[in-house]
Amino acid sequence: MKQIIINNFVIRTMCFVIIINHSGFFVDCAEANVGTDVTIVGVARNKNRGKGSMWWGIAKAGEPNNISPTQPGVLFMDASVHGTLRRKQRRLAKENTGLLEAVARGANLAINECQYQFRNQRWNCSTKNFSKGKNLFGKIVEKGCPETAFVYAITSAAVTHSVARACSEGSIETCYCEKHYRRPQVFSNANTGAVANVRDFEWGGCSDNIGFGVDVSREFVDTGERGKSLREKMNLHNNEAGRWHVQAQMRQECKCHGMSGSCTMKTCWMRLANFRVIGDLLKDRYDGATRVTAHSSAALKNNKAHSNRLPKNPKLAAIMTNSIHTKRENKRKHKYAFQLKTYNSEHKPPGMKDLVFYELSPGFCDKDPKLGIQGTYGRQCNDTSDGVDNCAIMCCGRGYKTQEVVVMERCNCIFHWCCEVKCDVCKIKKKIHTCV
Amino acid sequence: MDALPDIYQSKESIGYKNELELEYFQETFYDVWENCVIESYSSLYHSIHKPFVLNVIFGLLASFGLPEILFHWLTALCGGYMLVTTMQSTTGLIVIFSTFILAYVPLFCMKYVQSGIHSGENYSNQQTTNSCSGISATLILYGLIAMSVLFEYVLLDKEISLEIRGVMMVFSMKFISLVADLPAPNLPSFPEYFGYVFCSGNILFGPWISFEQYMLQVNFPTQKNLNWIFGVSKALSKSLIFLSISNCWASFFIGDNRNSLLTGYKEAISVRTGHYFICYVSEAFMLAAGWKDVSHHFEQDYWTFSVTNFMKIEFPTSLAAVVVNWNKPMHEFLKKYIYRKWLPTGKFQAVLLTFVISSLFHGFEIKVSTVLISLGVFSYLQILVREHISQAFNICVKIHTCKSCQHKIKRDSIICKLALIVFSFFTILHLIFLGVLMDQSTDEVGIYQKWYNLYFFSLWIMLLNLLVVK
């Protein structure tokens, strides 16, 4: 590593050559830039890295689709699942029947969405079938790079999303009228009048499902992130950002029914975004993720100057200005009351919606067994694209081979009124480029 | 080197997109189905599965021919239980129960006093009894009106009064018809009264039925058969369809639009389908409990309880048709007990007073009252105009087909049909104009503001009508 730092500038200009020549020690341009960060990595290095993400394993443990709803305890009893969960997570699962199924569904949702969002990138969010959850995405989650940030955000968002949906489907019974979990929503901007009315008093079902989803996600997903290191703060922040986006895209609306405009009964529904929308939003945030650095006490004071980003969350702002947190009640909230300092002090401090990272990404070009990176060998690429899936970028200059294959595809589709689409099947010659 | 842009360094500058853009997104058909329709159904299931099952059980039990007293108590207990499970506010529940039970006190007094006069002094003639019950019916009417207005504005919170309004209205209608229909000595006993006002089929969502209709089922319980199941499921599925339109599809298909008329149509159709939903739920409840259209009570295979006729409202021929078909039992009540009573003072006054009293029953809530009174005035003016035109052009465009049409241009002529289509179009416009006021999702927008956005077009049409008539 040291050698790289010393030769930083040399490698920057030479990296292409190195890669092309397939020299013994592999490194690429992005990695070469990391030089200045090494000290921070050293500070944040912690044997508990990624310990909060063990639960990811339940995505692969016992395919959740096979779990019959009549036997809600089955997944809980599964030993391989049991081992990956922390005590608090097991307790939560025990208290809320059906929760574990929802979390497992959420984890799978996260994997699918991550792979969709990164399908054209060098790192394609590949997963391994390890039962130990933290290795699910490979060791990349032990780093502090933007990909790690995205993985954390998308998993916590997916848990929130799927728990809220499970509540509304009725497969988790404890979310109904559970006073313990009820709380005013964190943000209340642009709410319709109908929503404001609902919160004043409880109607049938009292389903604040999204609130429950957020709370469960906080308890379940964030349970391991208790330390004070930058690493844990980063995870917490990204988990919160994931939940923020789910919450921002989900609104409960209700309507009264009864004789002549009375309100004998209410029906409620969700304006819940497709998880794809949340994935897209998080991907945008990934593209604009903020690089942060370990903060000193001076950094906290400086935050007051930046507090213009905070009023979106009055509760957090209140806690920030309130210096004494003796009450136990505040303790939990205090967990989220921190402000990260940007790496470049001229940049805006990260807001609640932003993803943060502190390490630059490894190149993802070549195989790195240490980090569990597959490299881009054999990946398909696009020779005409301007984006990251362009063959020159995807194959990191190694070049690519082109094959011509014959594909059967649906073509000449005509929409018939109403409502089916009729297509022919055509043989199409296609060029497929794969990285060498 | 250029081929590999240093994306991570340039992130900060491109990261912040316009947030407004991100907040909005297009929902797909599947999204609406999953998040709105399914959710609405599941929350509906939570609120109505118990009342519905109770009604079915009660209907099945009743077909075995329950003893009369048991029938009354059973339906009343079911009704009471439904109230307890459905109503959220304890205050509302207390108000409902105490009103329902205490209202028997004046009834009991009337019964006692009248029967005292009857038997004791042997002084009776039909005239006195009738006038007596007429006076008491009027008194009770005013009493109930005062009560509903007081509840709305003074005694209760807005939410609570909104919640109990429907139940109280059904009760008021039942009570007024009870007193007005029966001569005092025949007033019901306590179990009869109790069963009638707490009747499990209509306590929550109506419809109003007369005491005779209630007793018809007691004395001649309907036999349940396959058609019964079919009739109930038909009403339920209709209600489900209308609920999904009201909550979800209306806004999905019409969407947010710059065109105020289209937006108005969206809001109005959401209100109307919401109303059909409740009407069909109430039909399902009544059918499940065993009541059906009173004229077909003895037909085994007839299982319909007409509460509304949505075809005649969605494709209206006139406002009067809308008023009649909006809620048929309620219309019948208003016509029989309010309109007929005021008819001697003049037709317009009677129409106006009927709608005023109807709005008073709604607690004189400002938007509902505006809608109701406008509806009364508009429909009356429409009748006048059409009579006027029908006379002036010798064309058959009256609201009802004339029985022996003497006009030159008959109903089935093309000119007449075109004229009718124009009138239908104006009626649809009126329905949009009035319907937007009832939409809850934009409740905070004032009447003036909403009508201003619609350019007050209904008022202009009515002004035109007025000029035609004058």
Side-chain angles (χ1 to χ4, degrees), chain B residues 123-374:
Chain B
Y123 183 61
S124 77
N125 60 45
Q126 206 56 35
Q127 209 66 38
T128 2
T129 330
N130 270 354
S131 70
C132 260
S133 81
I135 290 164
S136 41
T138 317
L139 275 180
I140 279 162
L141 174 72
Y142 290 136
L144 288 171
I145 286 173
M147 206 168 68
S148 40
V149 176
L150 272 181
F151 278 152
E152 182 82 22
Y153 281 102
V154 187
L155 297 177
L156 296 176
D157 286 348
K158 194 167 179 265
E159 283 86 3
I160 299 175
S161 66
L162 199 65
E163 194 186 3
I164 67 168
R165 191 203 281 163
V167 178
M168 290 303 277
M169 269 176 55
V170 180
F171 166 74
S172 305
M173 290 196 284
K174 283 178 184 173
F175 199 73
I176 289 166
S177 66
L178 193 65
V179 177
D181 272 353
L182 297 177
N186 300 343
L187 283 173
S189 67
F190 187 67
E192 284 171 337
Y193 167 80
F194 204 53
Y196 177 51
V197 297
F198 277 98
C199 172
S200 60
N202 61 6
I203 187 158
L204 291 178
F205 306 113
W208 167 80
I209 56 169
S210 65
F211 187 62
E212 284 94 342
Q213 196 178 351
Y214 171 74
M215 288 305 282
L216 202 62
Q217 162 78 352
V218 179
N219 296 328
F220 309 98
T222 46
Q223 294 306 308
K224 314 296 180 294
N225 50 23
L226 215 60
N227 285 328
W228 173 65
I229 298 174
F230 184 67
V232 173
S233 349
K234 198 171 133 192
L236 264 189
S237 12
K238 275 186 189 170
S239 78
L240 288 183
I241 292 169
F242 283 122
L243 178 68
S244 70
I245 297 175
S246 173
N247 282 3
C248 316
W249 300 126
S251 57
F252 174 69
F253 283 114
I254 303 182
D256 287 323
N257 211 293
R258 291 222 170 266
N259 184 345
S260 61
L261 195 63
L262 213 56
T263 311
Y265 186 74
K266 178 184 78 179
E267 291 187 8
I269 203 167
S270 160
V271 170
R272 289 200 301 271
T273 46
H275 168 77
Y276 306 145
F277 156 67
I278 277 299
C279 287
Y280 285 110
V281 167
S282 71
E283 178 178 349
F285 277 21
M286 281 308 262
L287 289 180
W291 279 272
K292 50 183 162 184
D293 279 342
V294 71
S295 49
H296 299 270
H297 189 81
F298 295 102
E299 289 168 39
Q300 289 266 322
D301 293 337
Y302 181 92
W303 281 104
T304 310
F305 194 111
S306 334
V307 183
T308 189
N309 186 341
F310 71 93
M311 287 302 280
K312 289 195 174 158
I313 302 173
E314 289 307 307
F315 307 102
T317 52
S318 65
L319 274 177
V322 172
V323 169
V324 171
N325 289 294
W326 185 253
N327 188 327
K328 286 181 189 170
M330 191 167 176
H331 173 75
E332 198 189 318
F333 169 85
L334 289 170
K335 193 170 157 189
K336 192 169 170 189
Y337 300 98
I338 316 282
Y339 177 73
R340 293 258 166 81
K341 210 165 112 188
W342 295 99
L343 200 54
T345 56
K347 208 174 168 190
F348 180 68
Q349 284 87 331
V351 170
L352 196 64
L353 265 168
T354 309
F355 280 95
V356 168
I357 283 172
S358 170
S359 70
L360 283 169
F361 270 129
H362 287 84
F364 216 63
E365 204 265 327
I366 192 81
K367 277 181 179 164
V368 179
S369 306
T370 314
V371 170
L372 283 172
I373 293 170
S374 320

Side-chain angles (χ1 to χ4, degrees), chain A residues 122 165 168 255 272 287, chain B residues 4 11 34-35 39 270:
Chain A
R122 282 184 186 168
R165 182 161 282 186
S168 53
K255 191 174 206 169
L272 159 67
D287 290 335
Chain B
L4 281 170
K11 263 175 194 175
E34 184 132 304
N35 300 325
E39 292 275 340
S270 160

Side-chain angles (χ1 to χ4, degrees), chain A residues 235-338:
Chain A
N235 287 351
L236 274 184
H237 184 99
N238 292 328
N239 286 347
E240 276 291 277
R243 289 186 281 265
W244 192 96
H245 282 281
V246 179
Q247 212 172 24
Q249 295 302 321
M250 222 174 175
R251 300 202 171 83
Q252 193 187 40
E253 289 179 14
C254 292
K255 191 174 206 169
C256 282
H257 302 282
M259 284 261 294
S260 303
S262 67
C263 203
T264 316
M265 173 175 64
K266 261 192 175 183
T267 53
C268 296
W269 64 93
M270 277 311 200
R271 279 283 159 82
L272 159 67
N274 192 324
F275 197 65
R276 175 59 35 84
V277 176
I278 294 156
D280 290 343
L281 288 170
L282 284 174
K283 181 69 179 4
D284 280 349
R285 295 287 163 183
Y286 159 85
D287 290 335
T290 314
R291 188 169 175 193
V292 293
T293 179
H295 65 267
S296 58
S297 55
L300 253 175
K301 275 175 196 165
N302 277 345
N303 277 329
K304 285 196 174 166
H306 299 300
S307 60
N308 56 335
R309 295 265 322 167
L310 281 170
K312 285 265 176 183
N313 183 349
K315 200 181 274 176
L316 262 185
I319 293 166
M320 298 274 301
T321 49
N322 204 0
S323 55
I324 308 161
H325 310 289
T326 43
K327 281 184 186 171
R328 200 175 179 276
E329 189 186 309
N330 275 343
K331 221 172 185 177
R332 200 177 75 97
K333 309 235 165 87
H334 187 55
K335 189 177 177 183
Y336 301 97
F338 56 86

Side-chain angles (χ1 to χ4, degrees), chain A residues 158-196:
Chain A
V159 167
T160 312
H161 194 272
S162 87
V163 167
R165 182 161 282 186
C167 280
S168 53
E169 283 168 358
S171 45
I172 304 179
E173 282 171 9
T174 33
C175 28
Y176 285 107
C177 308
E178 190 84 359
K179 288 270 194 287
H180 168 65
Y181 288 112
R182 285 180 70 78
R183 68 199 167 85
Q185 255 170 305
V186 175
F187 71 102
S188 56
N189 53 331
N191 273 340
T192 58
V195 181

